[in-house]
């Protein structure tokens, strides 16, 4: 394999940091080469010609020198656009940052991401368009579980395969238990059944077919508790950006308000 090559590719800025006096390191999620760290000489000076293409929450068509190992380089930008709503809203910003963090942790650098590139771009697009950011984030979290090596069995009861009884989630069984088998795990999550419904739905839902998502605040809290627990215990991941969301969530829950999101999820994506 060539040591380096000039390539055109699509990318999403994951993060950037200053380097030396006027330079920057910018990590970009690319559609073809996985995550790559780019070294941008002079990027921190006010007249840098590619400034708009390396802002946080930007997607662009780049041209650059992709190195198999070490830092890569950007040569030009064909088109760049920033997710405006995400950039301007602290809450949306927090969710998008967490999603990008998750994908950064889930895959090693330089490993092509397959369909995950499109999925992450679509998640950010939906959040930018006003879809409930917490729900879009849960969909990504739940679908990423298998990348983290956790493959919860959510199709049916782990023990008997039934799908017609109430379900609960069992960490020790790695999936759902139907009501008849709840006795097998006294430590099952005792989760709210609507939350379990969304856990199952979100594991298979197609982000490209979603029309809207509405979840009642109490169901949202219950779903968050399940996902948080699986991430803590089975994935073992604690990200700073997630802790920030947790603080926001606590604050948000303390403020009575009406959620202004429209009902129903695309029926074609329903799982039963
Ligand atoms: Zn069962």
């Amino acid at each position: 394999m060539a040591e380096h090559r000039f390539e055109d590719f699509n990318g999403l800025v994951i993060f950037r940091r200053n380097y030396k006096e006027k330079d920057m390191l910018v990590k970009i999620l690319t559609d073809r080469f996985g995550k790559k760290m780019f070294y941008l000489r002079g990027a921190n000076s006010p007249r840098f010609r590619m400034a708009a293409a390396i802002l946080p929450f930007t997607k662009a068509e780049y041209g650059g020198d992709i190195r198999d190992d070490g830092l890569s380089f950007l040569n030009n930008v064909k088109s760049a656009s920033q997710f405006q709503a995400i950039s301007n809203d602290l809450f949306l910003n927090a969710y998008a940052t967490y999603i990008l963090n998750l994908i950064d942790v889930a895959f090693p650098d330089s490993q092509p991401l397959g369909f995950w590139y499109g999925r992450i771009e679509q998640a950010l697009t939906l959040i930018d368009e006003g879809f409930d950011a917490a729900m879009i984030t849960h969909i990504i979290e739940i679908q990423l579980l298998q990348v983290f090596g956790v493959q919860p069995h959510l199709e049916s009861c782990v023990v008997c395969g039934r799908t017609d009884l109430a379900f609960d989630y069992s960490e020790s069984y790695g999936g759902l238990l139907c009501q008849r088998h709840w006795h097998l795990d006294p430590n099952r999550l005792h989760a709210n059944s609507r939350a379990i419904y969304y856990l199952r739905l979100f594991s298979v839902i197609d982000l490209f077919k979603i029309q809207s998502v509405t979840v009642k605040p109490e169901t949202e809290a219950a779903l968050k508790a399940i996902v948080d627990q699986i991430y803590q215990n089975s994935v073992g991941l604690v990200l700073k950006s997630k802790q920030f969301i947790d603080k926001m969530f606590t604050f948000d829950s303390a403020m009575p308000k009406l959620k202004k999101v429209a009902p129903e999820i695309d029926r074609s994506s329903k799982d039963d």
Side-chain angles (χ1 to χ4, degrees):
M1 201 185 273
E3 193 192 87
H4 63 100
R5 49 197 191 268
F6 296 98
E7 299 278 5
D8 291 324
F9 57 92
N10 293 302
L12 290 165
V13 174
I14 301 179
F15 65 78
R16 54 194 230 157
R17 78 167 71 102
N18 293 337
Y19 186 73
K20 294 188 181 161
E21 256 178 60
K22 296 210 159 161
D23 305 339
M24 259 190 210
L25 292 173
V26 183
K27 194 161 201 184
I28 295 178
L29 185 70
T30 76
D31 57 349
R32 295 167 51 209
F33 312 105
K35 298 170 292 146
K36 285 281 181 188
M37 188 71 91
F38 290 85
Y39 182 72
L40 282 94
R41 192 173 298 280
N44 216 358
S45 68
R47 301 179 119 191
F48 183 65
R49 67 191 167 88
M50 291 186 286
I54 55 165
L55 292 171
F57 311 115
T58 292
K59 64 172 178 177
E61 282 178 77
Y62 303 95
D65 176 359
I66 301 291
R67 306 278 172 118
D68 293 336
D69 302 306
L71 299 170
S72 295
F73 301 88
L74 285 185
N75 298 332
N76 57 68
V77 178
K78 288 207 182 85
S79 66
S81 58
Q82 198 182 25
F83 293 104
Q84 286 299 328
I86 291 174
S87 309
N88 296 331
D89 182 300
L90 181 69
F91 287 74
L92 302 186
N93 193 307
Y95 283 105
T97 300
Y98 173 51
I99 287 175
L100 290 168
N101 265 190
L102 269 183
I103 205 81
D104 197 11
V105 177
F107 293 93
D109 288 354
S110 303
Q111 176 182 310
L113 301 180
F115 59 74
W116 273 104
Y117 179 84
R119 229 180 245 191
I120 295 301
E121 183 182 10
Q122 177 68 359
L124 297 186
T125 302
L126 293 172
I127 291 174
D128 206 56
E129 286 173 355
F131 280 75
D132 187 320
M135 290 306 113
I136 300 298
T137 303
H138 285 323
I139 292 171
I140 293 292
E141 283 178 311
I142 293 165
Q143 296 188 355
L144 262 181
L145 281 173
Q146 58 172 321
V147 177
F148 284 114
V150 181
Q151 286 178 300
H153 184 93
L154 301 174
E155 298 80 44
S156 57
C157 173
V158 178
V159 177
C160 68
R162 278 183 84 148
T163 55
D164 58 331
L165 297 173
F167 285 125
D168 196 0
Y169 189 82
S170 161
E171 288 186 292
S172 44
Y173 280 82
L176 300 177
L177 288 179
C178 79
Q179 205 164 358
R180 287 182 57 190
H181 292 109
W182 283 355
H183 66 278
L184 295 175
D185 182 8
N187 296 320
R188 63 194 169 85
L189 297 189
H190 297 89
N192 160 312
S193 64
R194 292 300 294 164
I196 294 280
Y197 167 81
Y198 282 105
L199 177 68
R200 299 183 72 206
L201 177 62
F202 285 2
S203 70
V204 293
I205 200 165
D206 183 345
L207 278 175
F208 289 91
K209 289 185 185 160
I210 284 184
Q211 282 156 1
S212 57
V213 192
T214 291
V215 178
K216 287 183 188 161
E218 58 268 31
T219 307
E220 181 180 345
L223 178 63
K224 181 178 187 306
I226 299 176
V227 176
D228 284 356
Q229 189 142 356
I230 297 175
Y231 262 81
Q232 250 167 46
N233 299 341
S234 303
V235 181
L237 197 63
V238 185
L239 297 174
K240 255 193 197 161
S241 52
K242 176 62 167 61
Q243 293 171 326
F244 183 71
I245 288 177
D246 292 344
K247 276 187 204 146
M248 262 178 10
F249 188 84
T250 312
F251 177 74
D252 199 37
S253 309
M255 308 269 287
K257 62 164 188 170
L258 287 171
K259 289 229 137 202
K260 46 159 194 176
V261 262
E264 234 162 299
I265 288 167
D266 178 26
R267 295 194 183 283
S268 63
S269 301
K270 278 201 174 160
D271 55 348
D272 53 19

